[in-house]
Amino acid sequence: RARPAVLYGYGGFDISLSPSWTSAAAAWVAAGGVWAVANLRGGSEEGEAWHRDGMREHKHHVFEDFEAAADRLVADGWTTPGQLAILGGSNGGLLVGAALTRSPERYRAVVCSAPLLDMVRYERFGLGATWNDEYGTAADPEELGWLLSYSPYHHVEDGVAYPAVLFTIFDNDTRVDPLHARKMAAALQAATSGSPEDRPVLVRREGEVGHGARSQRRRAVLDADELAFLAACTGLALPAGET
């Protein structure tokens, strides 16, 4: 039987997503949902060639791999597009931002955390200038073309029924400036044809915390808010106290 599902991915910076236990995944699965982690080009799961095949001019391969994973979950009967949510943060936020603008019909809901979304100007904010070997630089006309080909902020279109989206941002984030999510949220709110009640575009702002590490209490509250949003959108009933 098809069930509400979360597909998580990262796909960048030579980082490997190996099997691991997380409280968020455990809570979702305990409630009857499906939790899937996609190994995408751009990571290190299959060596440096795998990483390089998902960076710079090959960045689109990461998004294609993620779409293939989403389609496989549907084709194999695990879920449906109306029950499929996607989740990613930082470079993974870029991933799900690109996913929702490339093919919004594939997904019901998106959690996009601390994301890079304006890839034309990303080098001007936070630590962006240190990442142009991974993505390319807008100062070079050819590389600007790579960035514009997928930059989520530049691919928002009027009148599209976008999935429900929750952006989670952190005031003390010195790596990825929260302006990315704020701009993208405003663009989606103005463009989407989906109703605010059924397909809201929301921003969850958290003060006094940065890009990554946080207290266990803050982690639990963030996970609870993200899972509650995804459950409400996909129809999963989370038992009280599970998050």
Side-chain angles (χ1 to χ4, degrees), residues 1-6 28 31-34 79-85 107-109 164 198 226-239:
R1 180 175 64 87
R3 292 170 284 172
V6 173
W28 188 266
V34 172
T79 192
T80 65
Q83 296 171 295
L84 178 58
Y107 318 107
R108 179 61 181 81
D198 186 54
E226 292 179 344
L227 292 183
F229 173 81
L230 295 178
C233 293
T234 61
L236 184 72
L238 284 175

Side-chain angles (χ1 to χ4, degrees), residues 45-219:
E45 292 86 358
E46 302 292 338
E48 180 57 20
W50 180 259
H51 169 220
R52 292 189 173 276
D53 204 26
M55 61 184 284
R56 297 176 65 78
E57 71 269 33
H58 304 302
K59 188 66 178 174
H60 62 96
H61 290 156
V62 183
F63 313 137
E64 291 164 4
D65 288 353
F66 194 67
E67 290 163 354
D71 290 348
R72 185 61 181 264
L73 287 171
V74 172
D76 286 355
W78 289 104
T79 192
T80 65
Q83 296 171 295
L84 178 58
I86 55 176
L87 168 66
S90 194
N91 175 75
L94 168 61
L95 166 67
V96 298
L100 79 90
T101 52
R102 282 168 59 97
S103 50
E105 71 283 354
R106 277 188 166 97
Y107 318 107
R108 179 61 181 81
V110 182
V111 168
C112 185
S113 185
L116 283 162
L117 295 165
D118 181 350
M119 296 307 293
V120 172
R121 299 175 182 85
Y122 81 94
E123 295 169 276
R124 301 183 183 184
F125 309 103
L127 297 182
T130 66
W131 303 327
N132 55 30
D133 188 53
E134 181 79 12
Y135 298 124
T137 176
D140 179 284
E142 180 182 6
E143 297 181 15
L144 173 61
W146 307 340
L147 298 167
L148 278 171
S149 72
Y150 66 83
S151 176
Y153 179 72
H154 295 89
H155 285 266
V156 176
E157 298 180 4
D158 287 340
V160 174
Y162 286 105
V165 185
L166 174 64
F167 295 99
T168 59
I169 59 174
F170 315 109
D171 285 354
N172 290 355
D173 192 339
T174 57
R175 295 191 198 178
V176 180
D177 196 298
L179 68 84
H180 284 272
R182 291 191 177 106
K183 288 173 61 174
M184 186 72 172
L188 286 172
Q189 288 170 350
T192 187
S193 63
S195 72
E197 295 78 17
D198 186 54
R199 294 173 177 258
V201 177
L202 306 174
V203 176
R204 180 192 187 276
R205 171 181 166 266
E206 188 174 356
E208 300 178 347
V209 69
H211 190 75
R214 66 198 61 231
S215 70
Q216 288 299 313
R217 183 189 67 81
R218 282 184 177 268
R219 179 75 256 173

